[in-house]
């Protein structure tokens, strides 16, 4: 057993080949993302700790210290990861001093257990360490999830080290990682990618290049069909083709997203052009053909799979909350690698829609899958993880999503800004203090409810310096001023660059107008062809039955209805009041012969559209993101 020297926590994380690097010195002080973070600390984390105790995740560890251990609780061999993901979130709260005392007690208890339960050779997994377990360690690479477990342990350990200066978990993680490097030096991969991202982070934190080498091996080694499972085929594991030869994102959505994010982490350190090419190609194909308008990934409940190109049904969308996090992880790493604004656009879309919808307004109930439509007579009361009654659930038998939400909410401030030598880039707009290496900024905004952003320079370098502001892909007619005057600015590729000699007190105002937008679908996307979805700023909207005087299935939106929509503030959010049409189907037949002319009369009604991420907080009723248009009102489709 070796336990390498662990360095003290570093400042901003630098990568060898990234175009930009993250700014870790961001503190959110107000606005929606700040509210989410606070809700995470006050509601979601205490709830999650309670659920982890009740479900046996903690007892699964402590029982191993008994001479005759009680049976493992739960069906899956990866339940330790729910502790790890929670610890990762707690590290942010403890490091920032916003955690309550019971949170510290939980953290101390679990870290202490992990130190004591870890096997002498470094192995750690409460399912397989049970002498009575049905399988032995390393026996089942396809389904064992042992390296997936290690990955989440490492991520928690790195967070604790970076945010709290606590190296106890890092020592545990290093011991397990060293065992894995020695065991998997020549061959083998894990059925669930995750360790790739984590090993690169461990390399960044310890300086041990062997971890990076091993991460690259795991990416390169995949695709031989070596992973076996009685139910799932090779593509489920992304093991049917080498990563660089995948024609499209495929298989299990979370596995695919984690693998791509891990490959992007390897790229950030190696600059491998073949990896860059594959990642960019897969990304562009995914965005063009496989993402829901909410940013959700994965259209099939079967195998939790991504599905074919343009296979994007609304009511059967799987769009797992963990897959939303996977896409954000991938997006952020691609942004760091390239500086490309298009990756941040997708990050933002996922964050405000496919991810945020996974948590209830109170912060104590979760969606596992995130459909874009609920039928009025929807029935799914048993068996499935969610989608039945109640809509969101307190916990799941496979509870991967809730603690994943916890850790992500805790670290949202890490995704606000980035920098490179001579420039700071503002990627996300939220009320915050940004402490980059050379520039300190105070940002104030009502985003995403309005698009006015005020940035005040608090600390400036002597030399001319670039303040680079992201222009979201949806934004038009954007204006910017510096100290009230139109500045010399370069607008290119989704960024506005302001280069000047800054002084403390300089004020930048950015205006991102937010009219209501109407979105259609690609003609190949059969499920929503001819329908319209409303959006404003980064938010996708939906209509719930409570807010429509007619069945939401009968609502019909024309162009004029959308242009004239009223934008109204209500209960801390912005809703859209839309004068719409209502039209019963012209025939009850499932497949009527099409009339050659428009005949259906339209009845005028008013409906209210609310942000999609807030749906399902007022009881289970019908909901739609995609609404009929006159073209689909029994008339011949064009
Ligand atoms: Zn999940």
């Amino acid at each position: 057993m070796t336990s390498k020297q662990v360095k003290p926590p570093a400042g901003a994380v630098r990568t060898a080949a990234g175009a930009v690097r993250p700014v870790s010195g961001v503190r959110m002080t107000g606005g929606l993302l700040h509210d989410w973070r606070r809700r995470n600390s006050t509601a979601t984390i205490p709830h999650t700790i309670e659920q982890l105790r009740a479900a046996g995740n903690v007892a699964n560890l402590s029982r191993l210290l008994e001479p005759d251990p009680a049976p493992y609780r739960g069906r899956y061999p990866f339940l330790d990861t729910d502790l790890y993901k929670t610890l990762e979130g707690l590290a942010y709260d403890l490091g920032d001093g916003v955690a309550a005392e019971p949170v510290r007690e939980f953290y101390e208890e679990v870290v202490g257990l992990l130190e004591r339960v870890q096997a002498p050779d470094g192995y750690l997994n409460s399912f397989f360490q049970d002498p009575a377990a049905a399988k032995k360690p390393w026996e089942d690479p396809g389904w064992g999830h042992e390296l997936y477990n290690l990955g989440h342990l490492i991520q928690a350990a790195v967070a604790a080290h970076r945010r709290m200066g606590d190296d106890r978990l890092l020592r545990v993680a290093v011991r397990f990682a060293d065992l894995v490097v020695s065991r998997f030096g020549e061959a083998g991969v894990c059925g669930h990618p995750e360790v790739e991202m984590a090993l690169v982070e461990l390399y960044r934190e310890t300086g041990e290049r062997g971890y990076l080498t091993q991460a690259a091996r795991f990416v390169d080694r995949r695709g031989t069909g070596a992973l076996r499972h009685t139910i799932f085929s090779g593509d489920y594991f992304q093991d049917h083709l080498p990563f660089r030869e995948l024609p499209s994102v495929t298989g299990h959505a979370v596995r695919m997203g984690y693998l791509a994010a891990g490959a992007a982490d390897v790229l950030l350190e190696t600059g491998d052009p073949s990896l860059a090419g594959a990642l960019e190609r897969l990304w562009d194909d995914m965005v063009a053909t496989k993402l829901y308008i909410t940013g959700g990934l994965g259209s099939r409940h079967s195998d939790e799979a991504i599905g074919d190109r343009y296979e994007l049904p609304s009511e059967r969308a799987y769009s797992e909350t963990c897959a939303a996090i996977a896409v954000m992880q991938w997006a952020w790493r691609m942004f760091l690698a390239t500086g490309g604004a298009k990756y941040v656009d997708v990050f933002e879309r996922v964050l405000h829609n496919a991810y945020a919808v996974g948590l209830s307004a109170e912060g104590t109930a979760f969606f596992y899958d995130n459909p874009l439509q609920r039928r009025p007579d929807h029935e799914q009361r048993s068996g499935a993880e969610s989608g039945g009654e109640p809509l969101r659930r307190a916990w799941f038998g496979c509870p991967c999503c809730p603690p994943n939400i916890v850790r992500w909410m805790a670290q949202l401030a890490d995704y606000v800004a980035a920098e490179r030598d001579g420039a700071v880039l503002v990627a996300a707009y939220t009320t915050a203090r940004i402490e980059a290496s050379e520039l300190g900024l105070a940002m104030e905004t009502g985003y995403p409810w309005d698009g006015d952003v005020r940035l005040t320079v608090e600390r400036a370098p002597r030399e001319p310096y670039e303040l680079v502001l992201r222009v979201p892909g949806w934004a038009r007619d954007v204006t910017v001023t510096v100290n009230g005057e139109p500045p010399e600015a370069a607008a290119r590729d989704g960024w506005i660059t302001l280069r000047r000699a800054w002084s403390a007190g300089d004020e930048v105002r950015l205006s991102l107008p937010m009219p209501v937008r109407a979105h259609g679908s690609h003609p190949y996307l059969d499920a929503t062809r001819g329908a319209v979805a409303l959006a404003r700023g980064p938010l996708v909207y939906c209509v719930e039955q409570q807010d429509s005087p007619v069945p939401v299935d009968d609502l019909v939106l024309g162009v004029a209805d959308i242009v004239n929509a009223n934008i109204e503030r209500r209960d801390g959010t912005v809703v859209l009041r839309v004068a719409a049409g209502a039209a019963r189907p012209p025939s009850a037949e499932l497949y009527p012969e099409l009339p050659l002319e428009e005949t259906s009369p339209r009845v005028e009604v008013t409906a209210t559209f609310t942000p999609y991420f807030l749906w399902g907080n007022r009881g289970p009723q019908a909901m739609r993101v995609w609404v009929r248009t006159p073209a689909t009102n029994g008339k011949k489709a064009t």
Side-chain angles (χ1 to χ4, degrees):
M1 180 177 73
T2 61
S3 180
K4 296 189 177 67
Q5 286 296 311
V6 170
K7 291 188 303 182
V13 176
R14 284 181 177 266
T15 61
V20 297
R21 53 186 182 269
V23 173
S24 55
V26 177
R27 192 163 57 85
M28 299 191 296
T29 52
L32 183 66
L33 302 190
H34 178 62
D35 290 347
W36 286 356
R37 166 88 195 275
R38 198 163 43 189
R39 178 185 61 188
N40 195 48
S41 304
T42 58
T44 315
I45 284 174
H47 171 85
T48 296
I49 289 174
E50 197 181 303
Q51 295 293 328
L52 287 168
R53 288 195 188 283
N57 296 59
V58 181
N60 278 343
L61 288 172
S62 59
R63 77 200 168 100
L64 295 175
L65 300 170
E66 305 295 329
D68 186 17
Y72 181 87
R73 287 174 61 188
R75 281 175 57 196
Y76 302 100
F78 48 79
L79 296 178
D80 293 350
T81 61
D82 302 312
L83 293 171
Y84 298 146
K85 283 184 271 191
T86 304
L87 292 180
E88 184 182 342
L90 298 192
Y92 279 82
D93 272 22
L94 290 164
D96 292 352
V98 298
E101 198 48 41
V103 170
R104 180 171 291 281
E105 282 169 25
F106 180 83
Y107 176 87
E108 291 295 332
E109 178 186 348
V110 177
V111 170
L113 280 172
L114 292 166
E115 286 180 308
R116 292 166 69 197
V117 166
Q118 183 167 38
D121 67 352
Y123 186 85
L124 184 53
N125 180 306
S126 72
F127 178 87
F128 289 101
Q129 279 175 270
D130 184 344
K135 290 177 184 168
K136 299 296 167 214
W138 309 123
E139 187 183 319
D140 183 4
W143 194 247
H145 287 80
E146 286 148 296
L147 301 183
Y148 171 79
N149 268 259
L150 169 62
H152 281 296
L153 167 63
I154 291 172
Q155 287 178 329
V158 169
H161 191 236
R162 273 190 199 149
R163 308 297 297 203
M164 304 167 64
D166 179 358
D167 69 0
R168 288 173 295 168
L169 264 188
L170 196 58
R171 291 176 187 279
V172 173
V174 161
R175 279 195 289 274
F176 194 0
D178 288 348
L179 173 70
V180 164
V181 169
S182 67
R183 185 176 181 92
F184 288 84
E186 300 301 321
V189 291
C190 180
H192 200 313
E194 154 70 18
V195 77
E196 297 82 359
M197 273 184 278
L199 284 170
V200 178
E201 277 285 80
L202 193 60
Y203 156 65
R204 292 182 186 128
E205 204 63 12
T206 63
E208 278 298 325
R209 199 162 178 88
Y211 302 136
L212 172 62
T213 305
Q214 189 62 42
R217 281 183 189 138
F218 283 141
V219 172
D220 294 346
R221 209 176 264 168
R222 230 176 170 80
T224 62
L227 293 169
R228 299 273 171 222
H229 193 274
T230 50
I231 297 172
F232 305 118
S233 55
D235 62 330
Y236 173 88
F237 303 106
Q238 296 82 34
D239 190 37
H240 59 308
L241 282 172
F243 183 78
R244 292 170 181 76
E245 295 172 26
L246 290 174
S248 180
V249 292
T250 189
H252 185 267
V254 180
R255 283 173 169 77
M256 182 70 235
Y258 281 19
L259 175 61
D265 259 328
V266 173
L267 169 67
L268 276 165
E269 299 301 339
T270 64
D272 178 343
S274 67
L275 212 45
L279 282 163
E280 288 174 17
R281 180 174 51 75
L282 289 169
W283 176 270
D284 289 344
D285 182 68
M286 175 182 75
V287 173
T289 68
K290 293 192 171 178
L291 272 191
Y292 282 96
I293 191 170
T294 56
L297 178 67
S299 49
R300 293 188 188 171
H301 285 238
S302 175
D303 295 359
E304 302 182 314
I306 291 171
D308 294 337
R309 291 190 175 103
Y310 305 108
E311 180 189 340
L312 294 163
S314 289
E315 69 273 62
R316 293 293 290 161
Y318 197 65
S319 185
E320 184 182 334
T321 306
C322 288
I325 292 168
V327 172
M328 285 190 282
Q329 288 178 330
W330 185 11
W332 186 255
R333 286 157 176 76
M334 294 303 286
F335 164 56
L336 294 180
T338 65
K342 67 178 183 180
Y343 301 109
V344 190
D345 278 349
V346 172
F347 183 101
E348 180 180 64
R349 191 202 307 184
V350 177
L351 176 66
H352 286 88
N353 301 286
Y355 165 73
V357 73
L359 184 59
S360 67
E362 292 80 16
T364 54
F366 310 89
F367 277 136
Y368 191 110
D369 49 301
N370 296 287
L372 283 75
Q373 177 180 7
R374 183 185 166 91
R375 299 281 182 184
D377 53 352
H378 182 70
E379 279 191 48
Q380 192 176 332
R381 288 163 195 266
S382 63
E385 288 285 8
S386 71
E389 311 285 351
L391 279 171
R392 291 182 181 84
R393 296 188 178 194
W395 206 246
F396 304 100
C398 174
C400 52
C401 301
N404 224 355
I405 288 178
V406 162
R407 68 176 180 140
W408 202 253
M409 285 291 178
Q411 61 189 254
L412 286 179
D414 284 357
Y415 306 103
V416 170
E419 62 184 323
R420 59 174 181 259
D421 292 346
V424 63
L425 295 80
V426 182
Y429 297 111
T430 192
T431 298
R433 305 286 289 274
I434 300 172
E435 290 296 338
S437 327
E438 295 185 71
L439 193 71
L441 290 168
M443 176 159 61
E444 278 181 75
T445 177
Y447 202 91
W449 310 120
D450 76 64
D452 293 328
V453 183
R454 183 171 69 181
L455 294 135
T456 308
V457 174
E458 295 189 321
R459 178 172 53 82
R462 286 175 184 276
E463 301 299 317
Y465 189 81
E466 290 179 0
L467 174 59
V468 187
L469 305 175
R470 180 175 147 259
V471 178
W474 47 261
R476 305 282 180 273
D477 305 320
V478 176
T479 58
V480 63
T481 63
V482 177
N483 299 329
E485 304 287 336
E488 263 186 45
R492 197 160 61 94
D493 299 334
W495 301 101
I496 292 178
T497 300
L498 304 169
R499 180 178 174 79
R500 58 192 286 149
W502 298 95
S503 304
D506 281 345
E507 185 181 275
V508 177
R509 283 181 179 262
L510 174 71
S511 173
L512 304 165
M514 287 186 178
V516 179
R517 302 192 308 278
H519 288 272
S521 307
H522 189 283
Y524 297 173
L525 206 172
D526 301 75
T528 52
R529 185 194 299 127
V532 64
L534 300 186
R536 181 174 176 270
L539 300 173
V540 173
Y541 277 73
C542 70
V543 58
E544 288 184 273
Q545 191 55 62
Q546 295 96 324
D547 298 320
S548 173
V550 297
V552 291
D553 290 349
D554 288 347
L555 280 177
V556 178
L557 283 184
V559 172
D561 304 326
I562 298 160
V563 169
N564 295 320
N566 282 319
I567 297 165
E568 294 182 7
R569 286 192 174 264
R570 183 188 292 179
D571 302 332
T573 73
V574 169
V575 302
L576 310 177
R577 295 273 292 162
V578 183
R584 298 291 301 158
S587 162
E589 286 181 68
L590 196 51
Y591 305 109
E593 186 182 343
L594 291 172
L596 297 178
E597 291 175 1
E598 176 59 67
T599 53
S600 298
R602 169 180 156 133
V603 178
E604 298 297 325
V605 297
T606 301
T608 301
F609 286 68
T610 54
Y612 166 73
F613 81 82
L614 286 170
W615 97 269
N617 280 295
R618 293 175 291 165
Q621 296 205 30
M623 178 277 289
R624 274 180 173 269
V625 167
W626 292 97
V627 177
R628 289 161 56 194
T629 61
T632 55
N633 185 22
K635 187 179 164 185
K636 187 174 181 181
T638 53

